[in-house]
Every structure is written in structure tokens, then in C-alpha cells.
């Protein structure tokens, strides 16, 4: 199974006061073990594409296969199970829970996978250690810098050992030095065999990836 993700003639539109076609017959295969960046101007369909791959949004036409399974209008229980198995998410705004410390944030995906408490904490600590934040395990997000928050978010995304990491503008809220550190970490995760999809509007970030996919006007 070399092609982990296969998109075949994917189209997606949104209805406002008129119908807007955001993605137009997108064909793409994401191979195992590569880092892809999806670039393009604002409104080109980058986040929509990521949401379809991430099973957050449905598509109108075409087909999407993840791990050789057709992903189409699944009920939420089945979709959640599949997301947990295959996908890890990192967002520009980190999406950490402010009243939970770093360890408790990282543990969350394992809680939903039904992993025992002891194993959850051991695994979460290992992943915090991997991102260089083991000593910060008991700190709340409000006590962390932007770069540290994104590292916690990456640890949380990776703790369930997904096959694909989806990162939506992961460096968008960070300065250039911290952005490079986060991208170094993403490349380290890739070297461990993970497939990574990074949506970015920053050319220098895109160039740190092994393949650049350019979207313009939904194509």
C-alpha cells in the first residue's frame, strides 16, 4: 500500500447567496513517508482540501480513499474511529484545552482509544520527551510559549501513532526561529516513517517539505 491517500476528481462547493466551487476535480496521491506542503493564495481551497482529507468535511463528487477504504459520508462514530486510527491534527491556534496541563492534553486521544490510564500517561510522557517538553508536563498552556504550545499539540497529534499528520498552518502564529524549530520537529517525525501534509502560505516553510502542491482557484 504505497498510496496511503488517493483523491480522484474531488470537487467541493459551498452555498452562500450563490454556489461557489472551491475544489475542481482534484486528483492526487499521497505516498507513504513523504512531507507534502499545500500552498496557494487565501481562498484557493487549501484548508477545504485538508478538511476533506481529515474527514472533517464531506466532498460533493469524486472519490477519496484512505488506507484503501472509501471515505464517503460515514456516520460520525465510524469517522471518529477512522480518524483516530489514521490521522493526527495540528492547527495554527494549537487547540489545547487551557484548564488541562501539557500531559493531560497529550493523553486525550488515548483516552478516546480506550487505553488504560497507566499506559496513557507513560506514552504521553514519552511523546512529550520526544518534543523536548517532559519537564513541562504539569504546566498549563497559559504557562507555555507559542513554540512550546505547538510542540505539545504535535505530541498530542502523534501519541495515538497515526499514519498521517495533518498540519494546518502549524507555524502561522510563530516567529521565524520558532517556525524553523517546529519544522525541524516535523521533519524528524517524517524520518520516523510518518506521512505529513502541511498547509502553509509561507514559501520558506513549503521549501522545507519534500514535495510542494500548488492550489490556485481550486485546481
Amino acid at each position: 500500500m504505497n498510496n496511503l491517500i488517493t483523491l480522484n476528481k474531488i470537487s467541493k462547493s459551498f452555498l452562500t447567496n450563490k454556489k461557489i466551487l472551491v475544489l475542481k476535480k482534484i486528483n492526487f496521491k499521497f505516498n507513504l513517508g513523504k512531507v507534502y506542503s499545500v500552498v496557494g493564495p487565501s481562498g484557493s481551497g487549501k484548508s477545504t482540501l485538508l478538511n476533506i482529507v481529515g474527514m472533517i468535511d464531506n466532498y460533493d463528487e469524486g472519490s477519496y480513499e484512505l488506507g484503501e477504504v472509501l471515505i464517503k459520508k460515514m456516520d460520525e462514530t465510524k469517522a471518529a474511529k477512522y480518524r483516530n486510527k489514521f490521522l493526527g491534527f495540528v492547527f495554527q491556534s494549537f487547540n489545547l484545552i487551557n484548564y488541562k496541563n501539557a500531559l493531560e492534553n497529550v493523553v486525550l486521544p488515548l483516552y478516546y482509544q480506550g487505553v488504560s490510564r497507566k499506559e496513557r500517561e507513560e506514552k504521553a510522557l514519552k511523546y512529550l520527551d520526544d518534543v523536548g517538553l517532559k519537564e513541562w508536563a504539569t504546566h498549563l498552556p497559559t504557562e507555555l510559549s507559542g513554540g512550546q504550545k505547538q510542540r505539545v499539540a504535535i505530541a498530542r497529534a502523534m501519541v495515538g501513532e497515526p499514519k498521517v499528520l495533518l498540519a494546518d498552518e502549524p507555524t502561522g502564529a510563530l516567529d521565524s526561529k520558532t517556525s524553523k524549530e517546529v519544522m525541524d520537529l516535523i521533519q524528524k517525525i517524517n524520518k520516523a516513517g510518518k506521512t505529513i501534509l502541511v498547509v502553509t502560505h509561507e514559501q520558506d516553510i513549503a521549501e522545507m517539505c519534500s514535495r510542494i502542491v500548488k492550489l490556485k482557484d481550486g485546481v
Side-chain angles (χ1 to χ4, degrees):
M1 187 179 69
N2 194 30
N3 298 324
L4 189 59
I5 291 170
T6 303
L7 303 174
N8 185 35
K9 296 184 177 174
I10 292 284
S11 294
K12 174 71 179 175
S13 58
F14 291 107
L15 276 173
T16 48
N17 49 1
K18 60 176 181 175
K19 189 176 177 180
I20 300 167
L21 198 56
V22 183
L23 296 176
K24 304 166 189 172
K25 296 193 184 317
I26 298 276
N27 290 307
F28 207 79
K29 288 182 172 143
F30 294 96
N31 295 330
L32 281 167
K34 287 210 169 19
V35 186
Y36 294 89
S37 66
V38 179
V39 299
S42 186
S44 59
K46 301 187 300 293
S47 290
T48 302
L49 180 66
L50 196 76
N51 286 345
I52 287 169
V53 172
M55 300 169 63
I56 293 166
D57 212 344
N58 278 313
Y59 50 93
D60 300 337
E61 291 173 25
S63 66
Y64 163 32
E65 287 183 22
L66 174 61
E68 297 180 347
V69 169
L70 183 67
I71 306 298
K72 182 75 173 173
K73 293 187 167 67
M74 284 184 173
D75 68 70
E76 189 45 46
T77 310
K78 195 174 177 186
K81 191 177 161 192
Y82 232 71
R83 271 198 298 267
N84 254 337
K85 182 181 173 185
F86 277 97
L87 307 168
F89 294 88
V90 177
F91 302 94
Q92 179 177 343
S93 55
F94 322 124
N95 287 18
L96 298 177
I97 298 170
N98 279 329
Y99 59 83
K100 290 186 180 290
N101 65 31
L103 182 68
E104 289 165 338
N105 267 285
V106 175
V107 152
L108 275 175
L110 299 178
Y111 175 80
Y112 292 114
Q113 285 179 14
V115 177
S116 72
R117 184 171 180 167
K118 183 172 182 287
E119 194 186 334
R120 285 202 303 263
E121 296 201 350
E122 281 172 3
K123 215 167 175 186
L125 271 175
K126 177 204 171 290
Y127 276 89
L128 276 175
D129 198 19
D130 286 352
V131 301
L133 286 177
K134 194 176 181 177
E135 307 77 53
W136 294 79
T138 58
H139 287 251
L140 293 170
T142 50
E143 300 168 312
L144 304 175
S145 69
Q148 286 173 321
K149 285 178 191 172
Q150 197 57 293
R151 283 169 180 269
V152 172
I154 289 169
R156 180 185 59 190
M158 295 311 299
V159 76
E161 295 172 358
K163 290 183 170 57
V164 185
L165 179 64
L166 301 175
D168 193 2
E169 300 279 5
T171 59
L174 308 173
D175 61 56
S176 55
K177 179 177 176 288
T178 313
S179 294
K180 186 180 182 308
E181 287 168 3
V182 165
M183 285 307 294
D184 286 345
L185 180 57
I186 282 173
Q187 285 172 324
K188 183 179 145 192
I189 291 165
N190 169 244
K191 284 188 177 81
K194 300 295 178 192
T195 304
I196 301 171
L197 181 55
V198 179
V199 164
T200 183
H201 64 276
E202 300 168 79
Q203 192 59 34
D204 55 336
I205 295 298
E207 284 165 8
M208 291 176 76
C209 301
S210 45
R211 181 140 186 217
I212 299 175
V213 181
K214 291 183 178 174
L215 270 184
K216 189 178 180 186
D217 300 329
V219 294

